[in-house]
Amino acid sequence: MLIIPALLFASSSPIFAEEERIEIPNEVLESLNAMDYSNAYYIAENAGVYDSNMSEIELQNYFVKLYIDIYESTRNVDTRGYLPESVYDLNAEEKKLVGSHPDEAAIVYMCSSLAIKATIAEYGDNRGDDNSDAFRHTFWNAVMTTQFGGRSQPFNVTGGRNRANVWATAHEAESSGLSKTMDLFNNNLGRMSITRKMSTNEIQSMIRSKIKNGSAKIIVNGKLVASND
C-alpha cells in the first residue's frame, strides 16, 4: 500500500518543505481517470491552492500527493459514473502529460467534465461526430484556454491557447480518420474563439452560436460538413 503523510489537504494555504520534485507512482498514473483529476481540481480549489503563493515545485508536489490520496481512497470504488469508460480513460500521451504536469491535469479534466455537462445541458445527450460532439470539443478547448490564460496576470491568451493545444492534441493521439480531422478542427476553433477572459456561461452561449452558424465541423454521410444546429 502507498502511504502518504497527513498532508494539509484541508488547509487554506498548504505549504510543503520538499524542494525536489515528487514523481507520480506508476500504479497511480495507470489507475486514475479523467473524473479523478477533475475531482482533484475542486479539492485543490476548496483548499485555496489556486490563490496561494506556492512555488512551482510545491504546486506540482501538492497535486502528486493529492492524486496518491485519491488513488488510495477510491481504487476499490467505481467512480466512473454513467457515461462510457472511454469518456474518462486517458491514452498513453495524456498519461505522459499528467506525469510531467500534474497541476495542469486537474485543470484539463475539470474543463472536460464541464464540457460534458454543458453538452448534455444543450443537447440532452453526448454523442459522436454530430453537433453535440462539435460543441463538446469546441467548448472544452475554449474553457481550457480561459483557465490556462488566466493563470497569469494580465490574461495571457497565447499561453492559454498553447497549453490547451498540447493537451487537446494529446487527447487525439490514438484517434484517426475523419473523426480526428473533425475533432482537431473543432479543438482549434474553441481555442481561437477566446480573445479575453470569459465566464463559463459566456463561453457556453458563444460556442452554441458557433455550432448553429456553421463555424464548426461535423460528419454527415461520411463527409466533413459545417455544423448545422
Side-chain angles (χ1 to χ4, degrees):
M1 171 184 283
L2 291 168
I3 304 296
I4 60 173
L7 299 174
L8 303 177
F9 289 147
S11 168
S12 61
S13 57
I15 299 176
F16 300 101
E18 294 89 348
E19 293 297 330
E20 296 184 359
R21 168 77 180 273
I22 300 172
E23 300 297 328
I24 302 178
N26 189 61
E27 60 265 42
V28 175
L29 192 57
E30 292 298 324
S31 297
L32 298 188
N33 57 48
M35 186 61 69
D36 295 319
Y37 296 118
S38 175
N39 291 338
Y41 173 88
Y42 294 107
I43 293 172
E45 183 179 53
N46 290 334
V49 169
Y50 295 110
D51 296 321
S52 70
N53 294 318
M54 297 169 68
S55 70
E56 183 66 22
I57 290 180
E58 288 174 335
L59 187 64
Q60 301 281 17
N61 287 350
Y62 171 86
F63 279 98
V64 172
K65 292 177 180 180
L66 179 54
Y67 296 153
I68 293 172
D69 190 46
I70 291 173
Y71 167 77
E72 289 290 350
S73 63
T74 65
R75 58 181 173 166
N76 294 320
V77 179
D78 182 6
T79 62
R80 293 179 183 267
Y82 63 92
L83 292 173
E85 288 189 359
S86 60
V87 172
Y88 297 116
D89 288 340
L90 278 61
N91 64 41
E93 291 303 311
E94 290 176 296
K95 289 176 183 178
K96 287 180 183 178
L97 282 176
V98 173
S100 57
H101 301 282
D103 59 319
E104 291 187 358
I107 294 172
V108 168
Y109 297 112
M110 176 276 292
C111 293
S112 174
S113 177
L114 287 180
I116 292 171
K117 291 176 182 177
T119 301
I120 293 174
E122 291 286 352
Y123 295 91
D125 205 347
N126 184 43
R127 299 176 296 272
D129 296 341
D130 64 355
N131 291 300
S132 70
D133 189 356
F135 175 90
R136 185 178 66 255
H137 278 267
T138 308
F139 179 94
W140 176 43
N141 278 261
V143 175
M144 276 199 295
T145 298
T146 300
Q147 286 287 326
F148 283 129
R151 297 184 81 186
S152 60
Q153 297 297 331
F155 184 76
N156 183 357
V157 65
T158 300
R161 288 171 179 167
N162 287 343
R163 293 315 300 165
N165 177 55
V166 167
W167 285 88
T169 301
H171 181 68
E172 302 300 333
E174 297 179 4
S175 62
S176 61
L178 209 55
S179 292
K180 181 172 185 175
T181 301
M182 170 186 162
D183 290 345
L184 291 175
F185 180 94
N186 293 328
N187 289 345
N188 185 64
L189 174 64
R191 294 189 295 271
M192 299 308 295
S193 296
I194 299 299
T195 58
R196 60 177 177 85
K197 190 170 185 178
M198 301 176 69
S199 70
T200 301
N201 287 338
E202 286 179 307
I203 293 173
Q204 185 167 336
S205 177
M206 176 184 67
I207 297 306
R208 184 60 192 263
S209 294
K210 288 184 179 295
I211 303 303
K212 287 183 176 180
N213 69 24
S215 296
K217 297 295 185 183
I218 61 174
I219 298 173
V220 177
N221 296 327
K223 295 182 179 181
L224 201 63
V225 301
S227 54
N228 54 25
D229 181 21

